[in-house]
Amino acid sequence: MRASDRAYDTLRQEILDGALTPGTLLGEVEQAERLGLSRTPLREALSRLIADGLADQTRGRGTVVSSISAADVDLLFELRLPLEVQSARLAAQRGDPARFTALAQRFTAAEETLHAGSHAREDEHYYRLTEELDEAVAEAVANPYLSHSLRSMRAHLVRARRLAQHEPERLASSAREHREVCTAIASGDPETAGAAMLIHLRRSLAYITAQHELPQQDRSLTPNREESPA
């Protein structure tokens, strides 16, 4: 892996994890030393983060981690809805039913576990499972242009999750909605799959909106908030 790719992957993940919070200065000298590389590959990595919208080039300060607020959520979902719904429709037409049936069964188990009491380990398992679903859909769709757009958008959604308070009951409901998406895709019916995905996304948006009373409030992302499902 090239040094610039390694630096990009590391910084990107740290931003998504919240280790690098909004407004953090990504100084070339400091970051190059910390990551053990020269400033040239570090600059390339920073340029990619700026292109992703995860960092901003500011006057006077240099490159900083970009901010995200509750007001951005509506804009993200304007893009997310058509992309995710179309992906679900295409996955129903092109995907392996057995793979999505297996995922549906795992979401059923996750829902039962979350109903019993949500803990950090169960939450992390649930989020990894949703990532597996994303990967399964992307592989079924086999459209690199669509997959690239979704990957870029989902990076911002990971950060947006931190805007909403953690509620175990919403996690369980989200697991049930994901199960229904998987079942619909496995059925091979694109209309049913698209509808199941749309229902999930609208409920996710309604949850985040209710948490922050959009658009009346504009709360910036702050560290140390627990994640909620999207």
Side-chain angles (χ1 to χ4, degrees):
M1 179 182 291
R2 297 189 309 158
S4 61
D5 292 335
R6 186 173 69 252
Y8 169 78
D9 289 343
T10 299
L11 292 172
R12 182 180 185 277
Q13 194 59 53
E14 289 176 344
I15 292 172
L16 299 187
D17 290 342
L20 292 175
T21 58
T24 298
L25 177 64
L26 301 175
E28 290 185 7
V29 175
E30 294 80 8
Q31 295 299 325
E33 291 180 353
R34 182 174 73 89
L35 298 175
L37 43 76
S38 66
R39 293 174 65 178
T40 297
L42 191 279
R43 288 194 192 102
E44 293 179 11
L46 293 179
S47 294
R48 291 175 64 184
L49 291 172
I50 292 171
D52 289 344
L54 297 175
D56 292 325
Q57 185 69 45
T58 64
R59 290 185 178 181
R61 291 194 65 198
T63 305
V64 300
V65 177
S66 63
S67 62
I68 186 170
S69 71
D72 295 319
V73 175
D74 274 342
L75 299 178
L76 285 169
F77 270 77
E78 284 181 4
L79 176 63
R80 186 184 190 189
L81 263 66
L83 292 181
E84 296 273 21
V85 169
Q86 178 66 358
S87 293
R89 288 170 54 86
L90 292 173
Q93 294 173 312
R94 304 172 183 175
D96 176 9
R99 183 175 187 182
F100 289 98
T101 297
L103 282 168
Q105 293 170 347
R106 293 173 63 190
F107 275 112
T108 296
E111 179 189 359
E112 294 172 353
T113 301
L114 291 165
H115 267 309
S118 179
H119 302 286
R121 183 163 55 183
E122 286 80 8
D123 295 357
E124 184 59 33
H125 172 74
Y126 168 74
Y127 287 122
R128 286 200 301 270
L129 186 55
T130 63
E131 290 173 359
E132 287 188 45
L133 174 56
D134 290 341
E135 292 173 3
V137 169
E139 291 177 12
V141 171
N143 183 327
Y145 301 104
L146 183 54
S147 297
H148 176 76
S149 297
L150 284 167
R151 181 178 183 273
S152 176
M153 177 202 60
R154 285 172 181 152
H156 297 285
L157 287 168
V158 168
R159 304 178 75 205
R161 284 178 185 152
R162 299 177 185 275
L163 292 167
Q165 295 178 358
H166 171 82
E167 285 188 9
E169 188 58 33
R170 174 55 199 155
L171 274 175
S173 295
S174 184
R176 182 173 62 255
E177 292 160 18
H178 277 109
R179 180 197 69 210
E180 292 168 354
V181 169
C182 292
T183 301
I185 292 174
S187 75
D189 183 347
E191 297 302 324
T192 301
M197 179 63 78
L198 183 60
I199 289 171
H200 165 62
L201 295 176
R202 284 180 170 170
R203 288 176 178 170
S204 294
L205 177 58
Y207 174 79
I208 299 175
T209 299
Q211 289 279 307
H212 294 272
E213 299 178 350
L214 290 176
Q216 286 82 8
Q217 295 187 22
D218 183 1
R219 302 180 184 180
S220 294
L221 175 72
T222 56
N224 301 321
R225 288 193 181 176
E226 294 181 89
E227 291 187 355
S228 69

